Amino acid sequence: MRTEESRRLAEDLLRILVVAAAYYVTGRIGLMQEVVLQGATVTPLWLPTGIAVSCLLWWGPRIWPGIAIGAFFLVETITGFSLKPVDTVIVAANTLAPLCAWLLLRRVGFRVELDRLRDGVALVFLGGLLPMLLSSTVGVCVLAFTGNLAWSAFGPVWAAWWAGDTMGVLVGTPLLLVLRRARPPWDMSRWPEAAALAVTACVVVPVATRSPLALLFLVFPLLTWAALRFQLAGAAPCALLVSVLAISAANHRIGPFSDHSLFEVMVTLQALNGSAALTALLLAAIVTEQQSVKQKIEQAVRDLTEVVEHLAPRRNG
Protein backbone atom coordinates (compact mmCIF):
# COMPACT_ATOMS: atom_id res chain seq x y z
CA MET A 1 0.00 0.00 0.00
CA ARG A 2 2.77 2.42 0.92
CA THR A 3 4.65 1.46 -2.23
CA GLU A 4 1.59 2.36 -4.32
CA GLU A 5 1.20 5.69 -2.53
CA SER A 6 4.90 6.44 -2.98
CA ARG A 7 4.64 5.66 -6.68
CA ARG A 8 1.64 7.97 -7.09
CA LEU A 9 3.40 10.71 -5.15
CA ALA A 10 6.48 10.36 -7.36
CA GLU A 11 4.29 10.51 -10.49
CA ASP A 12 2.52 13.63 -9.25
CA LEU A 13 5.82 15.29 -8.40
CA LEU A 14 7.23 14.46 -11.83
CA ARG A 15 4.13 15.81 -13.54
CA ILE A 16 4.33 19.02 -11.50
CA LEU A 17 7.93 19.51 -12.55
CA VAL A 18 7.05 18.80 -16.20
CA VAL A 19 4.20 21.32 -16.09
CA ALA A 20 6.38 23.96 -14.44
CA ALA A 21 9.14 23.47 -17.01
CA ALA A 22 6.73 23.49 -19.97
CA TYR A 23 4.95 26.58 -18.64
CA TYR A 24 8.22 28.44 -18.14
CA VAL A 25 9.80 27.44 -21.46
CA THR A 26 6.74 28.34 -23.55
CA GLY A 27 6.44 31.56 -21.59
CA ARG A 28 10.02 32.49 -22.40
CA ILE A 29 9.34 31.77 -26.05
CA GLY A 30 6.25 33.95 -25.89
CA LEU A 31 8.23 36.80 -24.34
CA MET A 32 10.42 36.86 -27.45
CA GLN A 33 7.38 38.31 -29.23
CA GLU A 34 6.34 40.61 -26.41
CA VAL A 35 4.72 43.97 -27.08
CA VAL A 36 5.07 46.94 -24.76
CA LEU A 37 1.65 48.58 -24.70
CA GLN A 38 1.24 51.72 -22.58
CA GLY A 39 4.26 50.63 -20.51
CA ALA A 40 2.91 47.12 -19.87
CA THR A 41 4.37 43.94 -21.35
CA VAL A 42 1.80 41.81 -23.17
CA THR A 43 2.05 38.93 -25.64
CA PRO A 44 -0.42 38.30 -28.49
CA LEU A 45 -0.16 34.53 -27.96
CA TRP A 46 0.43 33.28 -24.41
CA LEU A 47 0.90 29.52 -24.87
CA PRO A 48 1.43 28.76 -21.13
CA THR A 49 -2.34 29.03 -20.63
CA GLY A 50 -2.83 26.34 -23.26
CA ILE A 51 -0.18 24.20 -21.53
CA ALA A 52 -1.90 24.66 -18.17
CA VAL A 53 -5.42 23.84 -19.37
CA SER A 54 -4.21 20.79 -21.33
CA CYS A 55 -2.29 19.37 -18.38
CA LEU A 56 -5.25 19.90 -16.07
CA LEU A 57 -7.49 18.03 -18.52
CA TRP A 58 -5.00 15.15 -18.66
CA TRP A 59 -3.91 14.83 -15.04
CA GLY A 60 -6.43 16.71 -12.94
CA PRO A 61 -6.06 19.56 -10.44
CA ARG A 62 -3.23 17.96 -8.49
CA ILE A 63 -0.69 19.47 -10.90
CA TRP A 64 -1.67 23.07 -10.05
CA PRO A 65 1.61 23.70 -8.15
CA GLY A 66 3.42 23.24 -11.45
CA ILE A 67 1.40 26.06 -12.99
CA ALA A 68 2.13 28.29 -9.99
CA ILE A 69 5.86 27.53 -10.05
CA GLY A 70 6.14 28.19 -13.78
CA ALA A 71 4.11 31.41 -13.49
CA PHE A 72 6.20 32.58 -10.54
CA PHE A 73 9.52 32.25 -12.35
CA LEU A 74 8.08 33.89 -15.46
CA VAL A 75 6.76 36.88 -13.52
CA GLU A 76 10.03 37.24 -11.66
CA THR A 77 11.92 37.04 -14.95
CA ILE A 78 9.94 40.01 -16.23
CA THR A 79 10.29 42.03 -13.03
CA GLY A 80 13.96 41.17 -12.46
CA PHE A 81 13.32 38.96 -9.41
CA SER A 82 12.13 41.88 -7.32
CA LEU A 83 9.93 39.55 -5.21
CA LYS A 84 7.18 42.13 -4.76
CA PRO A 85 3.90 41.14 -3.04
CA VAL A 86 1.96 42.16 -6.16
CA ASP A 87 3.82 39.47 -8.09
CA THR A 88 2.18 36.88 -5.86
CA VAL A 89 -1.25 38.21 -6.80
CA ILE A 90 -0.48 37.94 -10.52
CA VAL A 91 0.88 34.41 -10.07
CA ALA A 92 -2.26 33.41 -8.16
CA ALA A 93 -4.50 34.81 -10.91
CA ASN A 94 -2.50 33.03 -13.61
CA THR A 95 -2.90 29.79 -11.66
CA LEU A 96 -6.59 30.18 -10.85
CA ALA A 97 -7.65 31.04 -14.42
CA PRO A 98 -6.69 27.60 -15.88
CA LEU A 99 -8.18 25.90 -12.81
CA CYS A 100 -11.47 27.73 -13.43
CA ALA A 101 -11.31 26.64 -17.07
CA TRP A 102 -10.85 23.02 -15.98
CA LEU A 103 -13.75 23.22 -13.54
CA LEU A 104 -16.09 24.74 -16.13
CA LEU A 105 -15.13 22.21 -18.80
CA ARG A 106 -15.53 19.32 -16.39
CA ARG A 107 -18.94 20.64 -15.37
CA VAL A 108 -20.28 20.43 -18.93
CA GLY A 109 -18.79 17.00 -19.64
CA PHE A 110 -15.99 18.14 -21.95
CA ARG A 111 -14.24 15.33 -23.82
CA VAL A 112 -10.56 15.67 -24.68
CA GLU A 113 -11.15 13.92 -28.01
CA LEU A 114 -12.86 17.11 -29.21
CA ASP A 115 -15.12 14.95 -31.37
CA ARG A 116 -18.30 16.95 -30.79
CA LEU A 117 -19.29 20.47 -31.69
CA ARG A 118 -20.31 21.09 -28.08
CA ASP A 119 -16.73 20.30 -26.99
CA GLY A 120 -15.35 22.87 -29.40
CA VAL A 121 -17.83 25.51 -28.25
CA ALA A 122 -17.13 24.68 -24.60
CA LEU A 123 -13.38 25.06 -25.09
CA VAL A 124 -13.87 28.44 -26.76
CA PHE A 125 -16.17 29.96 -24.16
CA LEU A 126 -15.63 27.98 -20.94
CA GLY A 127 -11.97 27.13 -21.49
CA GLY A 128 -10.79 30.40 -23.03
CA LEU A 129 -12.96 33.50 -23.21
CA LEU A 130 -14.61 33.34 -19.79
CA PRO A 131 -11.93 32.07 -17.33
CA MET A 132 -9.14 34.17 -18.84
CA LEU A 133 -11.07 37.25 -17.74
CA LEU A 134 -9.75 36.43 -14.27
CA SER A 135 -6.03 36.52 -15.09
CA SER A 136 -6.26 39.59 -17.34
CA THR A 137 -8.49 41.61 -15.02
CA VAL A 138 -6.47 40.88 -11.89
CA GLY A 139 -3.15 41.43 -13.65
CA VAL A 140 -4.08 44.80 -15.15
CA CYS A 141 -5.78 45.98 -11.95
CA VAL A 142 -2.62 45.18 -9.98
CA LEU A 143 -0.51 47.18 -12.43
CA ALA A 144 -2.92 50.11 -12.24
CA PHE A 145 -3.26 50.13 -8.44
CA THR A 146 0.50 49.99 -7.96
CA GLY A 147 1.06 52.89 -10.33
CA ASN A 148 2.85 50.82 -12.98
CA LEU A 149 0.06 51.52 -15.45
CA ALA A 150 -2.06 54.60 -15.99
CA TRP A 151 -5.79 54.03 -15.53
CA SER A 152 -6.35 55.68 -18.91
CA ALA A 153 -4.50 52.75 -20.50
CA PHE A 154 -6.52 50.11 -18.64
CA GLY A 155 -8.80 49.21 -21.57
CA PRO A 156 -6.21 48.55 -24.31
CA VAL A 157 -3.83 46.69 -22.01
CA TRP A 158 -6.62 44.60 -20.50
CA ALA A 159 -7.95 43.66 -23.96
CA ALA A 160 -4.48 42.66 -25.18
CA TRP A 161 -3.77 40.63 -22.01
CA TRP A 162 -7.12 38.85 -22.19
CA ALA A 163 -6.78 38.12 -25.91
CA GLY A 164 -3.26 36.73 -25.46
CA ASP A 165 -4.30 34.38 -22.65
CA THR A 166 -7.39 33.27 -24.56
CA MET A 167 -5.44 32.63 -27.75
CA GLY A 168 -3.08 30.42 -25.76
CA VAL A 169 -6.03 28.16 -24.98
CA LEU A 170 -7.67 28.30 -28.42
CA VAL A 171 -4.42 27.56 -30.26
CA GLY A 172 -2.32 25.60 -27.78
CA THR A 173 -4.84 23.31 -26.09
CA PRO A 174 -6.33 21.71 -29.26
CA LEU A 175 -2.84 21.12 -30.63
CA LEU A 176 -1.63 19.45 -27.43
CA LEU A 177 -4.77 17.34 -27.12
CA VAL A 178 -4.43 16.03 -30.66
CA LEU A 179 -0.66 15.44 -30.36
CA ARG A 180 -1.12 13.24 -27.31
CA ARG A 181 -3.27 10.77 -29.22
CA ALA A 182 -1.63 11.24 -32.62
CA ARG A 183 -0.82 8.07 -34.54
CA PRO A 184 0.91 7.68 -37.92
CA PRO A 185 -1.63 7.56 -40.75
CA TRP A 186 -1.26 4.04 -42.07
CA ASP A 187 -3.47 4.82 -45.05
CA MET A 188 -0.72 5.62 -47.55
CA SER A 189 -3.23 7.10 -50.00
CA ARG A 190 -3.59 10.15 -47.72
CA TRP A 191 0.10 10.96 -47.45
CA PRO A 192 0.30 12.86 -50.77
CA GLU A 193 -2.61 15.09 -49.73
CA ALA A 194 -1.05 15.69 -46.31
CA ALA A 195 2.23 16.64 -47.97
CA ALA A 196 0.37 18.95 -50.37
CA LEU A 197 -1.38 20.61 -47.42
CA ALA A 198 1.93 21.13 -45.60
CA VAL A 199 3.61 22.63 -48.67
CA THR A 200 0.63 24.86 -49.38
CA ALA A 201 0.58 26.08 -45.78
CA CYS A 202 4.29 26.92 -45.91
CA VAL A 203 3.68 29.00 -49.04
CA VAL A 204 0.27 30.58 -48.40
CA VAL A 205 0.67 31.64 -44.77
CA PRO A 206 3.93 33.61 -45.21
CA VAL A 207 2.50 35.31 -48.31
CA ALA A 208 -0.76 36.18 -46.56
CA THR A 209 0.92 37.58 -43.44
CA ARG A 210 3.81 39.42 -45.10
CA SER A 211 2.46 40.66 -48.41
CA PRO A 212 1.74 44.42 -48.58
CA LEU A 213 -1.52 43.49 -50.28
CA ALA A 214 -4.58 42.67 -48.19
CA LEU A 215 -4.29 38.89 -48.49
CA LEU A 216 -4.94 37.74 -44.93
CA PHE A 217 -8.16 36.08 -46.07
CA LEU A 218 -6.11 33.45 -47.93
CA VAL A 219 -5.52 31.56 -44.69
CA PHE A 220 -9.19 30.61 -44.34
CA PRO A 221 -9.45 28.33 -47.40
CA LEU A 222 -6.30 26.64 -46.10
CA LEU A 223 -7.82 26.13 -42.64
CA THR A 224 -11.03 24.85 -44.20
CA TRP A 225 -9.11 22.30 -46.27
CA ALA A 226 -7.16 21.15 -43.23
CA ALA A 227 -10.28 20.81 -41.06
CA LEU A 228 -12.43 19.07 -43.67
CA ARG A 229 -9.84 16.52 -44.71
CA PHE A 230 -7.73 15.99 -41.57
CA GLN A 231 -9.94 17.38 -38.79
CA LEU A 232 -8.11 18.66 -35.71
CA ALA A 233 -4.86 16.89 -36.63
CA GLY A 234 -4.55 19.14 -39.66
CA ALA A 235 -6.40 22.25 -38.52
CA ALA A 236 -4.59 22.78 -35.18
CA PRO A 237 -1.03 22.95 -36.62
CA CYS A 238 -2.23 25.23 -39.42
CA ALA A 239 -3.89 27.58 -36.91
CA LEU A 240 -0.66 27.68 -34.87
CA LEU A 241 1.37 28.45 -37.99
CA VAL A 242 -0.98 31.29 -38.91
CA SER A 243 -0.78 32.75 -35.42
CA VAL A 244 3.01 32.55 -35.10
CA LEU A 245 3.75 34.06 -38.52
CA ALA A 246 1.12 36.76 -38.08
CA ILE A 247 2.64 37.76 -34.72
CA SER A 248 6.10 37.88 -36.30
CA ALA A 249 4.85 40.09 -39.13
CA ALA A 250 3.02 42.35 -36.69
CA ASN A 251 6.07 42.79 -34.47
CA HIS A 252 8.19 43.74 -37.47
CA ARG A 253 5.43 45.98 -38.87
CA ILE A 254 5.54 44.40 -42.31
CA GLY A 255 2.87 43.38 -44.80
CA PRO A 256 -0.69 44.21 -43.74
CA PHE A 257 0.58 45.43 -40.35
CA SER A 258 2.74 48.27 -41.69
CA ASP A 259 1.82 51.95 -41.46
CA HIS A 260 -0.55 51.41 -38.52
CA SER A 261 -0.50 52.42 -34.88
CA LEU A 262 0.33 49.82 -32.25
CA PHE A 263 -3.30 49.65 -31.15
CA GLU A 264 -4.50 49.11 -34.73
CA VAL A 265 -1.89 46.40 -35.24
CA MET A 266 -3.01 44.60 -32.06
CA VAL A 267 -6.67 44.76 -33.08
CA THR A 268 -5.94 43.39 -36.55
CA LEU A 269 -3.65 40.68 -35.20
CA GLN A 270 -6.06 39.45 -32.54
CA ALA A 271 -8.99 39.53 -34.97
CA LEU A 272 -7.03 37.35 -37.39
CA ASN A 273 -5.74 34.94 -34.76
CA GLY A 274 -9.13 34.59 -33.10
CA SER A 275 -10.97 34.03 -36.38
CA ALA A 276 -8.38 31.48 -37.55
CA ALA A 277 -8.48 29.55 -34.27
CA LEU A 278 -12.29 29.51 -34.16
CA THR A 279 -12.55 28.42 -37.79
CA ALA A 280 -10.07 25.59 -37.34
CA LEU A 281 -11.42 24.35 -34.00
CA LEU A 282 -15.16 24.49 -34.65
CA LEU A 283 -15.06 23.24 -38.23
CA ALA A 284 -12.83 20.32 -37.26
CA ALA A 285 -15.20 19.45 -34.39
CA ILE A 286 -18.22 19.56 -36.71
CA VAL A 287 -16.59 17.27 -39.28
CA THR A 288 -15.40 14.83 -36.61
CA GLU A 289 -18.87 14.67 -35.07
CA GLN A 290 -20.49 14.04 -38.46
CA GLN A 291 -18.04 11.25 -39.22
CA SER A 292 -18.72 9.69 -35.83
CA VAL A 293 -22.47 9.78 -36.46
CA LYS A 294 -21.96 8.28 -39.91
CA GLN A 295 -19.88 5.42 -38.48
CA LYS A 296 -22.53 4.72 -35.84
CA ILE A 297 -25.27 4.63 -38.47
CA GLU A 298 -23.23 2.29 -40.68
CA GLN A 299 -22.56 0.00 -37.71
CA ALA A 300 -26.26 0.00 -36.81
CA VAL A 301 -27.15 -0.93 -40.40
CA ARG A 302 -24.64 -3.79 -40.36
CA ASP A 303 -26.01 -5.06 -37.05
CA LEU A 304 -29.58 -4.82 -38.32
CA THR A 305 -28.64 -6.67 -41.50
CA GLU A 306 -27.13 -9.49 -39.46
CA VAL A 307 -30.26 -9.74 -37.31
CA VAL A 308 -32.53 -9.84 -40.37
CA GLU A 309 -30.41 -12.52 -42.02
CA HIS A 310 -30.45 -14.55 -38.81
CA LEU A 311 -34.23 -14.30 -38.42
CA ALA A 312 -35.08 -14.84 -42.10
CA PRO A 313 -36.50 -18.34 -42.82
CA ARG A 314 -33.99 -20.59 -44.48
CA ARG A 315 -34.99 -22.05 -47.84
CA ASN A 316 -34.88 -25.78 -48.25
CA GLY A 317 -32.24 -26.81 -50.73
Side-chain angles (χ1 to χ4, degrees):
M1 191 67 178
R2 290 183 179 179
T3 303
E4 182 67 18
E5 291 180 355
S6 299
R7 185 181 65 82
R8 290 181 180 179
L9 182 61
E11 288 180 353
D12 289 343
L13 180 59
L14 178 61
R15 288 170 178 173
I16 288 171
L17 294 176
V18 168
V19 172
Y23 194 103
Y24 180 78
V25 170
T26 54
R28 293 287 294 176
I29 294 173
L31 290 175
M32 295 179 183
Q33 302 292 337
E34 67 183 17
V35 176
V36 179
L37 185 62
Q38 302 292 338
T41 300
V42 295
T43 54
L45 175 63
W46 190 240
L47 283 176
T49 56
I51 294 284
V53 173
S54 300
C55 292
L56 286 169
L57 290 172
W58 291 336
W59 299 323
R62 289 179 295 182
I63 55 91
W64 73 263
I67 302 173
I69 294 171
F72 172 79
F73 281 102
L74 273 176
V75 170
E76 295 305 319
T77 298
I78 297 173
T79 60
F81 290 90
S82 57
L83 299 177
K84 297 178 182 178
V86 295
D87 295 345
T88 304
V89 179
I90 295 177
V91 169
N94 287 343
T95 304
L96 288 174
L99 280 170
C100 289
W102 174 79
L103 286 171
L104 291 172
L105 291 173
R106 184 185 181 189
R107 186 67 179 255
V108 299
F110 176 82
R111 296 202 310 216
V112 295
E113 293 79 10
L114 278 171
D115 55 356
R116 302 175 299 177
L117 177 59
R118 60 176 294 185
D119 295 324
V121 174
L123 184 61
V124 171
F125 290 96
L126 302 182
L129 294 174
L130 185 58
M132 297 308 138
L133 291 171
L134 175 61
S135 56
S136 58
T137 302
V138 171
V140 179
C141 284
V142 166
L143 294 179
F145 277 118
T146 56
N148 293 316
L149 178 70
W151 282 103
S152 59
F154 184 96
V157 174
W158 174 87
W161 193 318
W162 174 61
D165 284 359
T166 302
M167 285 305 305
V169 176
L170 299 187
V171 173
T173 299
L175 181 63
L176 291 172
L177 292 180
V178 75
L179 284 178
R180 194 185 188 209
R181 64 176 191 275
R183 297 292 184 274
W186 300 114
D187 186 0
M188 300 298 293
S189 63
R190 303 203 64 188
W191 283 54
E193 185 180 3
L197 175 62
V199 172
T200 304
C202 292
V203 173
V204 170
V205 178
V207 170
T209 55
R210 293 177 177 269
S211 172
L213 302 175
L215 298 178
L216 289 176
F217 61 87
L218 290 178
V219 303
F220 293 101
L222 176 72
L223 293 170
T224 302
W225 176 15
L228 290 178
R229 297 295 295 160
F230 298 96
Q231 291 75 61
L232 202 60
C238 286
L240 178 62
L241 179 64
V242 170
S243 181
V244 170
L245 292 188
I247 291 171
S248 177
N251 282 340
H252 291 90
R253 301 294 184 88
I254 59 177
F257 303 99
S258 61
D259 302 325
H260 293 288
S261 67
L262 179 58
F263 179 74
E264 292 171 339
V265 168
M266 291 296 294
V267 170
T268 303
L269 177 62
Q270 297 299 6
L272 172 65
N273 286 344
S275 300
L278 288 174
T279 299
L281 176 59
L282 297 184
L283 186 57
I286 291 173
V287 175
T288 303
E289 185 174 30
Q290 289 179 342
Q291 289 186 347
S292 178
V293 171
K294 179 182 177 182
Q295 291 174 357
K296 290 179 180 178
I297 292 175
E298 291 176 347
Q299 183 62 44
V301 170
R302 287 194 293 268
D303 294 342
L304 182 60
T305 301
E306 292 178 359
V307 171
V308 171
E309 291 178 349
H310 180 73
L311 296 178
R314 297 179 179 275
R315 293 182 179 180
N316 295 325

